[in-house]
Amino acid sequence: MRIVLCFSILMIAGVPCYAGSLVFERERIGDSTFEAASVFDVNNDGKLDIVSGGFWYEGPDFQKCHKICDVARIGDYYDDFSDYPMDVNGDGYLDIVTGGYWGLKLRWVQNPGSSGGAWKVHEVAEVGPIERNTFYDIDGDGVVEVFCTTSPVHFFRLVRDENGRATGKFEQYTITTGGGGHGFGCGDINGDKRPDLVFSQGWLEAPENPYEVEKWQWHAEWDLGVASVPILVYDVNRDGANDLIVGQAHDYGLAWYEQQRQSSGERIWIKHSIDDTWSQVHDLQLHDIDNDGELELVTGKRYRAHNEHDPGSFDPLGVYYYEMGTGEFKRVTIDYGPPERASGVGIYFWVCDLDHNGWKDIVAPGKEGLYLFRNQGFLSDCKFGYSRGAP
């Protein structure tokens, strides 16, 4: 597919962005500058809403804003680096699991439900500076565990009663052998069908029972630099062995690392550059964004991740997806330009079919603002009817 830069001229609702032959309708949602966002039905009215930091925006048009709670602000940052929806107390309303770098604590924020009013903040545990929470189901029970990107590695399991109902409590587990710090992912590295934990300097091999924390085994097999959160574990070249996809969160670079075995059985990793033309690749996800039946890599630049201290801090922002093939990555640009009129994807963005049109949309938070990119599908099918070259 030919790479076509999107035309991002105005910061108003309804501006079409051209990503190859896909059209995205870009909309700025309020004045939010939180760096995390998610999508879920906050008030159980059957419509999806957008949540970002201290506020939620009522679907389907997201014009009505509701306060959730006050979020500590430190300079240009808010202490809110994930907004994951989870019914923590089992009342039928989705709450928010979050945490931040300066507050040092994992928190959940209680949805008041039908009673309305303020959301109550619950402190789960002090774990140190959280680069970002990530969420994986490591025990296969259908409920994700919460991983704090800290050192040492702390993860939390939601406590449920004998009927499977959530109780509002978490059990904490800490792995002290290897791992931790910036960069985190989860996936089966060695082919034993167990989800291992991946870090910038190596990986932790999962035992049969993941809650036996003393049995996790450390393998120092690579150095990924200041790695993205997450590091993706995915079989890029479809040879049956999972590879790694990793961005440089505070530098230039996006690459995949091919897993190979030598004749001795030793595992080695071959680096393949995907794109080194833009910096601060902090969050990345896999989705079928163009409905071709194949996953694409969806990502973008985080704006001023360390304020002005990262290489490329003042470069133009961008939102992208990459067609992966079997390792021949091709970039397609959704949005591109200066922060006054374009978006990146922050530290924790969200992808889902928000308007139920059959195409996945992108909710992109960041210091430059909160943006929604409505995926309208291919140019010939969308409602705009513009020619490919027209802005």
Side-chain angles (χ1 to χ4, degrees):
M1 181 180 292
R2 181 166 68 95
I3 297 176
V4 181
L5 293 183
C6 86
F7 298 89
S8 302
I9 298 176
L10 302 173
M11 269 199 325
I12 59 175
V15 174
C17 297
Y18 296 85
S21 56
L22 283 179
V23 173
F24 288 82
E25 181 181 302
R26 188 190 61 196
E27 178 180 352
R28 180 163 179 164
I29 307 295
D31 296 320
S32 170
T33 56
F34 295 92
E35 293 190 78
S38 62
V39 173
F40 62 95
D41 184 358
V42 172
N43 54 354
N44 285 1
D45 66 350
K47 301 182 180 74
L48 289 174
D49 309 298
I50 293 176
V51 170
S52 186
F55 300 92
W56 68 276
Y57 301 84
E58 193 171 336
D61 58 9
F62 314 111
Q63 297 301 303
K64 189 173 183 180
C65 176
H66 305 265
K67 183 173 181 179
I68 295 172
C69 63
D70 293 323
V71 179
R73 185 165 188 174
I74 301 90
D76 288 344
Y77 300 89
Y78 286 99
D79 202 42
D80 175 75
F81 283 2
S82 63
D83 289 326
Y84 190 83
M86 178 185 288
D87 184 0
V88 177
N89 60 352
D91 67 352
Y93 285 84
L94 289 170
D95 311 297
I96 300 168
V97 178
T98 185
Y101 193 87
W102 292 271
L104 310 179
K105 295 172 182 176
L106 177 67
R107 308 187 302 271
W108 71 278
V109 189
Q110 184 176 346
N111 189 332
S114 59
S115 64
W119 297 50
K120 183 179 180 180
V121 179
H122 300 264
E123 295 181 351
V124 178
E126 183 169 326
V127 294
I130 300 172
E131 181 64 28
R132 205 201 80 173
N133 292 321
T134 48
F135 305 86
Y136 296 94
D137 180 8
I138 61 163
D139 57 11
D141 67 351
V143 179
V144 297
E145 280 67 52
V146 183
F147 291 82
C148 303
T149 306
T150 57
S151 183
V153 181
H154 303 281
F155 69 97
F156 295 80
R157 176 169 61 176
L158 183 62
V159 177
R160 290 174 288 169
D161 62 22
E162 62 275 7
N163 297 315
R165 180 177 173 175
T167 63
K169 298 179 181 180
F170 289 89
E171 292 176 337
Q172 179 176 353
Y173 299 85
T174 301
I175 304 172
T176 58
T177 303
H182 208 304
F184 178 83
C186 187
D188 183 7
I189 295 295
N190 58 354
D192 65 358
K193 310 302 182 185
R194 300 173 189 165
D196 306 302
L197 304 183
V198 176
F199 304 89
S200 180
Q201 302 296 320
W203 62 285
L204 280 166
E205 182 179 347
E208 185 174 357
N209 179 359
Y211 300 107
E212 294 180 336
V213 293
E214 71 282 354
K215 293 186 178 181
W216 288 81
Q217 184 178 352
W218 176 245
H219 302 271
E221 293 185 0
W222 56 63
D223 183 353
L224 304 179
V226 187
S228 52
V229 187
I231 300 165
L232 298 178
V233 180
Y234 179 72
D235 185 3
V236 173
N237 58 358
R238 305 179 192 180
D239 65 352
N242 278 331
D243 310 299
L244 307 176
I245 304 174
V246 57
Q248 292 303 301
H250 300 286
D251 205 340
Y252 288 90
L254 175 64
W256 71 281
Y257 289 76
E258 180 182 356
Q259 180 178 169
Q260 293 185 358
R261 286 293 187 105
Q262 296 183 318
S263 57
S264 63
E266 180 184 0
R267 188 180 294 105
I268 60 172
W269 300 85
I270 309 300
K271 180 180 179 180
H272 303 273
S273 177
I274 298 171
D275 197 340
D276 60 5
T277 63
W278 56 280
S279 71
Q280 299 169 111
V281 194
H282 212 292
D283 190 7
L284 54 164
Q285 303 178 28
L286 296 176
H287 295 276
D288 185 2
I289 202 74
D290 60 5
N291 283 0
D292 65 351
E294 302 286 344
L295 293 176
E296 285 78 44
L297 172 64
V298 185
T299 185
K301 181 180 176 70
R302 182 185 175 196
Y303 179 45
R304 298 175 63 248
H306 282 167
N307 293 331
E308 287 73 51
H309 304 297
D310 286 340
S313 285
F314 293 106
D315 290 352
L317 301 181
V319 181
Y320 312 103
Y321 73 86
Y322 292 79
E323 297 173 336
M324 296 188 291
T326 56
E328 307 83 15
F329 285 75
K330 297 179 181 179
R331 188 177 79 189
V332 180
T333 301
I334 297 172
D335 201 14
Y336 182 82
E340 294 79 15
R341 61 176 177 84
S343 177
V345 299
I347 198 170
Y348 190 83
F349 71 103
W350 202 264
V351 179
C352 70
D353 183 4
L354 223 165
D355 51 12
H356 306 293
N357 71 344
W359 298 85
K360 288 187 176 181
D361 311 300
I362 300 172
V363 176
K367 296 186 182 80
E368 71 281 13
L370 175 63
Y371 284 84
L372 167 61
F373 293 88
R374 295 182 186 265
N375 188 346
Q376 303 295 330
F378 288 104
L379 197 62
S380 60
D381 299 329
C382 78
K383 65 183 179 182
F384 298 110
Y386 300 115
S387 63
R388 178 174 294 191

